[in-house]
Every structure is written in C-alpha cells, then in structure tokens.
Amino acid sequence: MKNLTNYFTAFLIILFLNSCDQKRNTSFEKFDFGNGYSIDLPEKYSKTNELTWQAGEHSYFNIIVGQIGNSDLKTELTDYLASRNTTDLFDNSEFIRTEEFEENGLKGVISFYEEDLKKQGAGIVTLTSYGVFAIVRNDTEQFTINSMALSDNNFAQIAKSIKSIAMKEGILNIPIANKFDKNKAIEDGYQVFQEDGFMVKCNKEIKLDRLRIQQMKQNGMDDNSRPFHVYDNGTDYNINVSSFESVLAGQSEQEIADYNKNDLDYYQTKFDEMSINNKRGKFKEFDAVFYDNTQDGRTTKAVFFHHKMKSYMLQVTDDNNVEKKFQDFIKTFEII
C-alpha cells in the first residue's frame, strides 16, 4: 500500500511539473527585418534568411513584405489564402478562428488553421500541423505572414510575435509617394497579382495553375515557381514567376545583379544546345532573353527576365498570328 501511495504521489508530482512547464512564459528574441522593422519571436526560432525563421524541421515563420493592398485586411488575407496551393493549406484543413488587433501603429488580422498531415507520408502516425496566417499593415507597407508548427501552443506564441511588429526607434514612417493604386489598375483593365509583383491585361481571367504546381511537386521539383495560365480562343497565355529569395537573401545588389545576368547566360546556352531560336535584348528596362519555337504546327514566343529576387517568363502559343498576339500581351505587363 505504501508503494502504491508513493507511486500516485510521484505521478501527481510529474503532472504538476508538466503543468508548470507548459505554463512557463516563453522567452522571445528581437529580430530586425525589412526597412526598419523589428519582431519578437520565441527564442527557439533562428533566422535562416532575411524574412524566414526556423524552429526545428517542421516549424517555420515567414514574412512577405509588399505594398499596401486596397481591400480591407480580412479580404486581403482571404485572397492570400486562396492563392496558396490547395495541397498546402485547404486540403484536409480546419479553420479555428480569426482575431484582429491594433498595436504599435499597425493593424492586423490573424487566422488560425489545423491540418492533418497523415496524407503527406507520415505513415500510420497522424501528425497535425498548426498554421497561423496574418496580414499586417501601417500607412506605408504591408506584411503577409505565414507560420507552421506541430503544436497548438504555437498559436498564442506566434500571435504575440505578430502583434510585436514595430518600427525601430529613429526610423521615420514617411508615406511612399506615388504608391501603387490597385483599384485604379483594375479600373484600367489590369488583372493584378500583387503577391507576385505584376499586373497584366488579358481578355480572359488568368489563374494560378494549381495542377501544374501539384505535378511539379510530385516530380520532386522545387516549389519556388508559380505558373499562371489562361486559354483564350485557341491561344495559350502563360506567365511563370520564380522566387530566388532563399538563394539571394542577404546578398548585395551587385551580387543579385550578377546572379541574374548569369542565369540569363545559362538559359541562352541551353537554348543554343537545343537549337531553340533566341536573342538577348531589352524588355522594357530589363535585360531579357527572347525565344521562339515551333512544334506540331503551333508556335511559342516568349521572353524571360529577372527583377530583383524573382524571374518572370511571359509566353504565348498559337498556330497563327503569334507575333502580334505576343507583342500585344507583353506590352501590357507591368512590375508593381
């Protein structure tokens, strides 16, 4: 009986210690990011590049810095989540809640999701990930945030981190002159893809090609590319945006320029090896490679160029009058 009493006493002590450990305050570390901002993240997170932090293999925190959207915060967040690949978020996931906040001169909306990961190769063990997504803005900039972890304790910690975003002392919050006007662009007939940094005109709606993204992942290809496509009365219009932030973050402007030039050189070499017609030239203010190819009676004309840490490919395919359709399409393309 004494041994049994000792056993239950030890058991209660363990429960108590575990409870205390779970309630222990998390320590946070301050990080600088963007143009004069700071954020407090749990000390378990370490910076992997300019805008991404990791805490072990399965937990990460990422910020996308961009221009202010013209929709309300909830709509901006809904649009962002809708643009994500279905296999990343909405397939087999559950919405938990949304909260809004105003802190340090910024406004934000945060959404929390839970997702079953068994379908992603965890075997007989069911893993559950907890995602936190947010849109935060002030008068000059907007931050799109996504975070994932394997514990719902992550919810409170990451929400606290998001609310800690602030301008560093001594940095003046000066509004940007002539900032991009999304509503005006839409009124002028542009389709606006603000997260990917471009707008373009087309008779039919251009959409993210989720099937192609899924196929690329199944073939083990990197997921840094976002392909957009529309088929309009016999003509294929394609735009592909690839991000090199994981490679180029933290590098100087000259190093980024050298990388972009070398990438164009590499593509020209490959086109030459494959006997694909190509030439170097200017697309608006960008150093670019133009190329064309005919297969099964259909001609493809395209232009490929870099801007900062992204590359853009614009492509038109048809069996007649391709040159005019290509020129009409690319002249409406604008970086925003």
Side-chain angles (χ1 to χ4, degrees):
M1 183 68 180
K2 182 178 180 181
N3 289 339
L4 187 61
T5 300
N6 290 340
Y7 170 81
F8 278 111
T9 300
F11 179 72
L12 290 172
I13 291 173
I14 291 172
L15 285 179
F16 175 76
L17 292 175
N18 284 340
S19 175
C20 290
D21 184 63
Q22 291 176 2
K23 294 178 181 179
R24 186 182 303 159
N25 289 332
T26 301
S27 296
F28 288 77
E29 181 178 354
K30 188 177 295 293
F31 294 92
D32 295 336
F33 75 93
N35 184 24
Y37 292 88
S38 67
I39 186 171
D40 299 334
L41 283 168
E43 61 180 357
K44 63 184 178 182
Y45 283 83
S46 58
K47 202 168 190 177
T48 57
N49 62 48
E50 178 61 25
L51 297 171
T52 303
W53 293 260
Q54 292 272 157
E57 182 179 358
H58 301 290
S59 299
Y60 67 86
F61 185 97
N62 174 256
I63 302 175
I64 299 170
V65 180
Q67 295 171 311
I68 302 171
N70 288 297
S71 302
D72 61 86
L73 289 168
K74 286 187 177 180
T75 302
E76 292 282 333
L77 183 56
T78 299
D79 289 346
Y80 168 71
L81 295 177
S83 71
R84 291 173 58 92
N85 189 309
T86 55
T87 59
D88 287 340
L89 177 63
F90 291 114
D91 186 16
N92 203 32
S93 68
E94 179 184 354
F95 170 73
I96 304 300
R97 70 178 189 277
T98 292
E99 65 179 74
E100 300 178 65
F101 72 92
E102 288 191 38
E103 297 280 348
N104 306 316
L106 294 106
K107 295 181 180 180
V109 58
I110 309 172
S111 285
F112 305 86
Y113 283 83
E114 179 180 316
E115 180 181 18
D116 179 9
L117 294 181
K118 185 175 182 180
K119 59 179 175 55
Q120 298 186 16
I124 61 173
V125 178
T126 299
L127 297 177
T128 300
S129 67
Y130 299 89
V132 181
F133 308 91
I135 299 289
V136 180
R137 67 166 64 143
N138 55 20
D139 292 332
T140 62
E141 291 180 282
Q142 179 166 296
F143 310 115
T144 304
I145 296 163
N146 66 85
S147 172
M148 197 70 69
L150 295 181
S151 169
D152 59 357
N153 288 337
N154 182 61
F155 282 170
Q157 295 175 5
I158 295 304
K160 182 176 180 180
S161 293
I162 292 170
K163 295 173 185 178
S164 75
I165 294 175
M167 290 285 291
K168 293 165 58 179
E169 291 185 9
I171 302 295
L172 295 178
N173 191 356
I174 302 175
I176 300 173
N178 301 320
K179 63 184 180 182
F180 171 66
D181 189 335
K182 182 177 179 179
N183 287 338
K184 179 64 166 56
I186 293 174
E187 289 175 3
D188 290 341
Y190 284 94
Q191 296 181 44
V192 178
F193 302 86
Q194 197 158 355
E195 178 188 349
D196 297 280
F198 74 92
M199 63 183 186
V200 69
K201 291 183 179 181
C202 192
N203 291 332
K204 285 192 176 181
E205 183 182 2
I206 299 174
K207 296 182 179 181
L208 184 66
D209 193 337
R210 301 184 188 280
L211 178 59
R212 192 186 305 179
I213 293 176
Q214 186 175 11
Q215 290 171 340
M216 288 191 297
K217 288 188 175 182
Q218 290 173 347
N219 292 327
M221 299 174 66
D222 292 338
D223 61 353
N224 68 327
S225 293
R226 287 171 59 80
F228 298 84
H229 171 258
V230 67
Y231 183 78
D232 181 18
N233 195 27
T235 308
D236 279 301
Y237 295 91
N238 290 277
I239 298 174
N240 192 79
V241 183
S242 295
S243 172
F244 299 95
E245 183 179 306
S246 60
V247 177
L248 298 174
Q251 297 194 29
S252 67
E253 289 187 10
Q254 186 58 53
E255 289 171 325
I256 293 173
D258 290 342
Y259 178 93
N260 293 343
K261 177 184 179 301
N262 292 337
D263 196 48
L264 293 181
D265 293 342
Y266 170 80
Y267 271 90
Q268 277 200 284
T269 299
K270 289 301 179 182
F271 289 149
D272 289 339
E273 292 175 355
M274 299 169 66
S275 300
I276 294 176
N277 296 326
N278 69 88
K279 65 177 181 179
R280 197 70 161 255
K282 281 285 187 181
F283 171 63
K284 303 195 175 183
E285 73 268 32
F286 305 106
D287 183 19
V289 175
F290 294 83
Y291 60 97
D292 61 84
N293 187 46
T294 300
Q295 187 174 12
D296 298 329
R298 288 175 65 81
T299 298
T300 294
K301 298 189 73 70
V303 60
F304 175 74
F305 65 96
H306 282 255
H307 174 61
K308 296 183 178 179
M309 297 187 192
K310 291 181 179 178
S311 70
Y312 296 84
M313 184 277 294
L314 315 179
Q315 178 178 290
V316 176
T317 302
D318 206 334
D319 53 11
N320 66 83
N321 208 16
V322 180
E323 177 66 26
K324 183 179 187 308
K325 293 174 181 177
F326 176 65
Q327 294 298 333
D328 289 345
F329 182 59
I330 67 173
K331 74 180 182 182
T332 71
F333 182 92
E334 298 290 346
I335 295 292
I336 57 177

